[in-house]
Amino acid sequence: MNNDITIIIPLHTLEGDNGEFLKKAIESVRESQKYYNDGKLIVTVVAPFEGSTNANLVDKWILNDSGDTTYCGQVNYAVQHIDTKYFSILEYDDTYTEKWFKFFKDYMFGNEDVSVFLPLSIVTDAGGEHWQYGNEAALAEFFSSELGFLDFDCLQDWSAFALMGAVINREDFVSVGMYKPSIKLAFDYELLLRMTNKKLRVMVVPKEGYKHIVGRENSMMDIYRKEMEGTDVVQKWFELAKREYQYAEDRKKSISKKQKVEEVK
């Protein structure tokens, strides 16, 4: 069976070192292709500006003219313009490990009903001096009802899971309503709550599959975090996610008191 996977790279600018980071990210996909023989890894950049479609670098460039250039908006737009069964999100300053998609193929056998295959992520700071694992909690005994899987109950107590690098069933992603761009920082968590509440299966593959950099100046996540005003604001977004998961549509709710007053009126 052919299991092509679209690699979606959301890009907000090519200024500064972003072009070099993008090149390195794409090179990691090319290295991964050497070990993945179940289909093609299709490098797809989605951006609010025109770009090169050089076959040696990018397989497909999607011009996002929707007006929504948030991370979630970029991904949603790209998902609606691809036709592969699976897709994966690669941040332009991150990389895959060379055998991640081979590991996905190995663990998909017997788990064809799984909607999301999460990698064990290696999370580092911008200088590469400190690192830790991401998504590893699901591999602990008694964390959830089934070892290695996320369920709705375990997500009530632990929100630190990220979808970067995951291999996601496109049809299932669309069926639950895709990302909600209005939810800041907690959008992965809210989506996972929505999916597990619908009894869709989410698995953490016990293999290193993705290298994620945090805290890099002017990265998309850095820009989002600078908009937050302290840990209490971050906490409120996660609390909002716990309320909004039950709705498929993005109701564009905010944590601001101003909106709440307007809603009462």
Side-chain angles (χ1 to χ4, degrees), residues 76-96:
N76 287 350
Y77 190 84
V79 166
Q80 295 175 80
H81 290 80
I82 63 174
D83 56 9
T84 54
K85 180 178 180 179
Y86 293 103
F87 72 93
S88 183
I89 306 167
L90 172 61
E91 293 193 6
Y92 68 89
D93 49 0
D94 290 344
T95 55
Y96 292 109

Side-chain angles (χ1 to χ4, degrees), residues 27-69:
E27 286 175 349
S28 78
V29 179
R30 302 306 184 206
E31 286 299 310
S32 298
Q33 182 72 78
K34 295 177 182 178
Y35 298 91
Y36 182 68
N37 57 13
D38 208 35
K40 184 179 180 182
L41 303 177
I42 305 170
V43 176
T44 303
V45 172
V46 56
F49 52 86
E50 297 279 3
S52 170
T53 54
N54 186 327
N56 293 324
L57 188 63
V58 178
D59 297 311
K60 184 177 181 180
W61 192 291
I62 298 176
L63 173 63
N64 176 14
D65 55 5
S66 69
D68 184 354
T69 58

